[in-house]
């Protein structure tokens, strides 16, 4: 096996209108680069070749400093790679984005930090991004001090370099250097990050940064249980799992009520983010433990849902605050480390079919009734049905 396994995990960002317009410009730039280089044939991904072409593209499109240079290089590299699918809703940010603290990211060239849910990662992996961000901030401060010292000595280019550094990293330079938090040893952030626009269940656009992390193979144990575990994601129980000889669940925390809102309902984006983090923490340890337990299985069958049927409901808000709406994506990413095979089971009619025989039954709230097998907990039955379907799908993949 390789020394490291590359995984990708996303954190939402919440730009203000001006920042959202700039992010949209970044996506448009990526599309323009793809269009410019489309049909150019196969190219090497040699860094020197990418840098030369990126400089040429910047001049052709007259980009100057309108987007980070690393975004141009990343978009050029993506366009040069033969066979890469071009996605107008994403663009590489790579080293242009840095986690500043649990609530903010700095993107090169943007003067103000962007609100972000950096804390919203499983298994305390947010600490890896914060450690990396502290190291980048420290390096920026050191570069600034070095150029300031050269200016004091009369170096003619120092002020120009200082201006360039401040223009790109002002949001990092005007803040004290953060302390690097302790994090998983040997887990590191790589220089690959992608800005992505996606459609939220309520139909509005959301933004996220997908971070690439490199982890040692032994960071999570290899899947060792020769069985398939079925997983249901629900409102009453956040997670319910069923295997041949085990079952369990993670209960949903109480849904938030209006009592935690500030007087008059006045809040700020940052205060809202801090409240979201507290509610995420209610079940974080249990969800982490469930992740480790589930990934012991060689087969994992998880319900696939886009949540649109619950759009705007208090139930979906509570599930999203707990992080469980991202459960399937966490499993898929982390399965690269454990070697588990994850399949997404379509949710259609799964609540109304028996997990033992797949016969049509009747669900009444938290109770499921099968004509053949009697009464069962509805979530447990759904997880058993997902296991049944997942085993069938995995057999198809192996055949």
């Amino acid at each position: 096996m390789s020394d490291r396994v590359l995984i990708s995990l996303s954190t939402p960002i919440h730009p203000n209108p001006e920042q959202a317009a700039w992010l949209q410009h970044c996506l448009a730039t990526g599309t323009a680069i793809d269009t410019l280089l489309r049909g150019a044939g196969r190219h090497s991904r040699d860094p020197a070749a990418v840098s030369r072409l990126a400089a040429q593209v910047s001049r052709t499109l007259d980009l100057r400093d309108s987007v980070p240079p690393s975004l141009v290089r990343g978009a050029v590299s993506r366009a040069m790679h033969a066979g890469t699918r071009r996605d107008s809703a994403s663009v590489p940010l790579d080293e242009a984005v840095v986690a500043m603290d649990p609530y903010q990211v700095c993107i090169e060239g943007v003067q103000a930090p962007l609100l972000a849910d950096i804390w919203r990662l499983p298994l305390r992996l947010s600490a890896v991004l914060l450690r990396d961000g502290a190291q980048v901030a420290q390096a920026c401060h050191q570069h600034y001090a070095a150029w300031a010292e050269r200016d004091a000595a009369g170096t003619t280019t120092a002020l120009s370099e200082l201006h360039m550094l401040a223009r790109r990293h002002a949001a990092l330079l005007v803040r004290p250097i953060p302390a690097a938090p302790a994090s998983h040893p040997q887990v590191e952030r790589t220089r690959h990050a992608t800005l992505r626009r996606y459609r939220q269940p309520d139909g509005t656009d959301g933004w996220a940064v997908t971070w690439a992390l490199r982890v040692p193979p032994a960071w999570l144990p290899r899947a060792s249980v020769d069985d398939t575990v079925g997983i249901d994601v629900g409102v009453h129980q956040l997670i319910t799992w069923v295997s041949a000889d085990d079952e369990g669940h993670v209960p949903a925390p109480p849904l938030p009520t209006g009592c935690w809102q500030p007087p008059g309902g006045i809040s700020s984006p940052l205060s809202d983010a801090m409240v979201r983090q507290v509610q995420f923490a209610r079940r974080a340890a249990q969800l982490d433990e469930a992740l480790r337990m589930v990934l012991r299985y060689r087969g994992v069958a998880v319900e696939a849902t886009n949540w649109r049927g619950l759009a705007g409901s208090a139930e979906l808000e509570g599930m999203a605050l707990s992080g469980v709406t991202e459960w399937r994506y966490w499993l898929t990413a982390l399965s690269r480390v454990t070697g588990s095979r994850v399949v997404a089971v379509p949710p259609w009619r799964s609540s109304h079919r028996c997990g033992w025989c797949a016969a049509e039954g009747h669900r009444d709230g938290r109770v499921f009734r099968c004509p053949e097998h009697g009464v069962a907990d509805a979530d447990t039955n759904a997880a058993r049905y997902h296991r049944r379907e997942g085993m069938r799908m995995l057999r198809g993949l192996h055949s």
Side-chain angles (χ1 to χ4, degrees), residues 185-250:
Q186 298 182 303
V187 178
E188 58 187 24
R189 184 204 154 183
T190 72
R191 292 296 134 205
H192 300 287
T194 303
L195 171 68
R196 182 170 58 89
R197 185 187 60 204
Y198 64 97
R199 184 68 65 181
Q200 300 185 102
D202 62 3
T204 61
D205 280 342
W207 296 91
V209 173
T210 299
W211 311 84
L213 301 173
R214 203 176 297 276
V215 302
W219 177 66
L220 285 174
R222 293 287 293 178
S224 58
V225 181
D226 192 15
D227 188 14
T228 297
V229 59
I231 300 168
D232 180 68
V233 182
V235 175
H236 301 293
Q237 310 288 355
L238 289 180
I239 299 292
T240 302
W241 67 87
V242 172
S243 66
D245 54 10
D246 190 22
E247 60 183 60
H249 60 259
V250 176

Side-chain angles (χ1 to χ4, degrees), residues 354-389:
C354 176
W356 291 112
C357 65
E360 189 82 14
H362 177 70
R363 177 168 182 167
D364 183 11
R366 301 186 64 176
V367 175
F368 178 85
R369 290 179 173 84
C370 170
E372 178 69 22
H373 293 93
V375 175
D377 174 80
D379 293 330
T380 302
N381 176 75
R384 184 172 289 114
Y385 179 79
H386 298 324
R387 176 177 181 265
R388 176 191 177 93
E389 290 298 293

Side-chain angles (χ1 to χ4, degrees), residues 1 5-8 222 331-340:
M1 293 181 63
V5 179
L6 194 66
I7 64 173
S8 297
R222 293 287 293 178
L331 281 173
T332 302
L334 296 169
S335 67
R336 291 178 56 85
V337 185
T338 65
S340 306

